[in-house]
Amino acid sequence: MAETGEGLPEEVLALIFRHLPLRDRAAAARVCRAWAAAATCSTVWHDTKISCECELEGMLPLYLSTCLDHVHNLRLEFEPSREVSRRAAIELLMVLAGRALGLRGLRLECRGEKPLFDAGRDVLEAVHAVCGAARELRHLDLRRLPFTLDDALVLQAARGCPELHSLFLDNSTLVGSVGPGSVLELLEACPRLRALGLHLASLSHAILEALAAPDRAPFALLALRCACPEDARASPLPNEAWAALRRRHPGLAVELELEPALPFESVTRVLQPAVPVAALRLNLSGDTVGPVRFAAHHYAATLRALEVRAAASAKLNAALEELAARCAALREVHCFCVVSHSVLEAFRAHCPRLRTYTLKLTREPHPWRPTLVARLGDFSPPSPQT
């Protein structure tokens, strides 16, 4: 076991260096040969987070380039409105595309505001390049990319990344350009896919049938975002199709996020009794009480997380109390409106697995912080919320 002049084995140094920011890793590699060997070993780079907002400015490109071969899972952050940050992210993605043999996971996160009328073509072209080169890519997460994703990107992932296990396209764009046809091709090309994030308009009856096929590998997660006009116009999905999918994959969890763009009639089409909803986020411009009551009656066995953004009312308080009484498996609940004391007590009394909640009895300055439930062993009563 090789040791440095300070007496620390290389393996220990590597475990330390893996927690350092990129700039500090580069500095450590220049201290001595032993530190350089530890700072560039695969253990340090297996799971890597790179922030292009500051870390790549003035970085030694040769140092980073030689270490990219060891990166298996990369979380890349950048600010699209800052030219230096954006250019650094694109250059890094293009370098990865040229030598992405070991890349297994890629998560892109944009910080700050997106420039007005910015389609992100340069960024998306770089993502295309990575998808065309990373044949062993298992996980691709584009939820924090604020650009419109399209069929071409999905088809590139289908053709270039046959080993995909998860793909998340449910980002915050207000335009949905991924059609069900390209998603069907993706499912056919990527038989091991077990987690998928989409806008509602990208889903179809045929996709549910494909996921429920007898030869399909176990499917674990379907995240659906309903936020753009195309989602509001999406065709209804039969409850029978959801029931068949649930029978085929008993462990399936569905995450639903309903945004203000969704009119009431669309909400009633989305909320089908057989959908195994594990997480429900309601940020509707219309009625919220109805969906909360619907969840209480139909998702009691599956619901684990609830988030509500609505105006406070006595009817909403009553609906929340009913949901608390029925959904004993809830682990977290977050209501971004003032609730009654009886709502807080209902969740405390009926949800023994609750781990965190945002249930405010009076208005507080934003951001509202959640309360963590303190437990001794499996369960102990939560401390009173202040």
Side-chain angles (χ1 to χ4, degrees):
M1 195 162 50
E3 296 191 357
T4 68
E6 299 297 324
L8 288 177
E10 180 179 308
E11 293 85 348
V12 175
L13 284 172
L15 290 176
I16 296 172
F17 292 161
R18 70 182 300 180
H19 297 289
L20 294 179
L22 191 63
R23 185 180 298 276
D24 293 340
R25 291 185 195 178
R30 295 194 294 267
V31 170
C32 62
R33 290 181 179 180
W35 280 36
T40 55
C41 76
S42 59
T43 302
V44 175
W45 293 89
H46 191 278
D47 300 305
T48 295
K49 172 186 172 182
I50 296 177
S51 172
C52 294
E53 296 177 28
C54 56
E55 289 186 329
L56 290 185
E57 297 179 25
M59 279 297 304
L60 294 174
L62 289 178
Y63 167 71
L64 181 58
S65 181
T66 57
C67 295
L68 284 179
D69 290 340
H70 301 307
V71 174
H72 278 210
N73 301 300
L74 175 62
R75 176 179 169 184
L76 181 61
E77 299 178 355
F78 68 100
E79 192 171 340
S81 61
R82 291 185 62 232
E83 182 61 29
V84 172
S85 175
R86 184 177 185 133
R87 186 169 58 250
I90 293 171
E91 290 177 358
L92 182 57
L93 288 172
M94 295 307 295
V95 171
L96 274 175
R99 53 197 307 173
L101 294 179
L103 192 64
R104 298 293 187 274
L106 177 61
R107 177 179 176 181
L108 299 182
E109 295 193 4
C110 287
R111 304 295 187 187
E113 295 295 326
K114 178 175 75 73
L116 197 62
F117 306 119
D118 181 8
R121 183 172 301 176
D122 50 351
V123 177
L124 294 176
E125 287 178 353
V127 176
H128 271 252
V130 173
C131 289
R135 298 288 297 177
E136 299 299 320
L137 193 68
R138 305 293 203 269
H139 309 283
L140 180 58
D141 189 342
L142 305 178
R143 283 175 288 191
R144 299 296 298 274
L145 207 59
F147 309 118
T148 299
L149 310 176
D150 57 16
D151 290 327
L153 177 60
V154 177
L155 294 176
Q156 179 76 322
R159 295 162 186 161
C161 310
E163 300 297 325
L164 270 181
H165 287 43
S166 68
L167 175 63
F168 292 99
L169 306 169
D170 47 325
N171 63 353
S172 59
T173 182
L174 296 179
V175 179
S177 295
V178 175
S182 62
V183 177
L184 276 173
E185 288 196 38
L186 175 80
L187 293 177
E188 183 177 351
C190 305
R192 297 176 182 83
L193 195 71
R194 61 192 313 271
L196 183 61
L198 298 171
H199 279 261
L200 180 63
S202 304
L203 194 63
S204 69
H205 188 184
I207 291 175
L208 295 184
E209 290 180 328
L211 290 172
D215 57 344
R216 188 78 203 178
F219 196 74
L221 175 63
L222 181 61
L224 293 176
R225 184 181 176 91
C226 311
C228 60
E230 290 81 4
D231 296 329
R233 297 191 293 267
S235 300
L237 300 169
N239 189 59
E240 296 75 15
W242 284 111
L245 181 62
R246 190 172 180 175
R247 287 192 299 269
R248 175 64 183 82
H249 304 288
L252 174 65
V254 173
E255 297 180 355
L256 283 180
E257 185 171 358
L258 309 184
E259 295 289 330
L262 210 63
F264 175 75
E265 58 272 16
S266 297
V267 173
T268 58
R269 292 201 306 266
V270 173
L271 296 177
Q272 295 290 328
V275 182
V277 175
L280 181 61
R281 300 178 182 89
L282 299 173
N283 184 21
L284 300 169
S285 56
D287 174 49
T288 302
V289 173
V292 171
R293 290 194 182 278
F294 187 93
H297 283 266
H298 296 286
Y299 304 147
T302 59
L303 194 63
R304 301 293 183 268
L306 174 70
E307 180 180 304
V308 175
R309 296 178 184 271
S313 71
K315 289 184 177 180
L316 180 59
N317 286 334
L320 289 169
E321 288 181 41
E322 182 180 7
L323 184 137
R326 290 175 174 268
C327 301
L330 268 176
R331 289 176 171 78
E332 56 181 289
V333 56
H334 305 285
C335 295
F336 293 93
C337 62
V338 174
V339 300
S340 65
H341 187 268
S342 59
V343 169
L344 175 59
E345 290 305 314
F347 281 105
R348 284 176 165 175
H350 299 299
C351 303
R353 300 180 185 177
L354 201 63
R355 293 290 182 266
T356 176
Y357 60 81
T358 306
L359 298 168
K360 304 296 183 181
L361 308 183
T362 58
R363 289 187 178 277
E364 297 181 7
H366 286 278
W368 287 6
R369 303 295 183 187
T371 298
L372 299 179
V373 178
R375 297 186 183 277
L376 182 61
D378 291 335
F379 174 74
S380 62
S383 57
Q385 182 173 331
T386 58

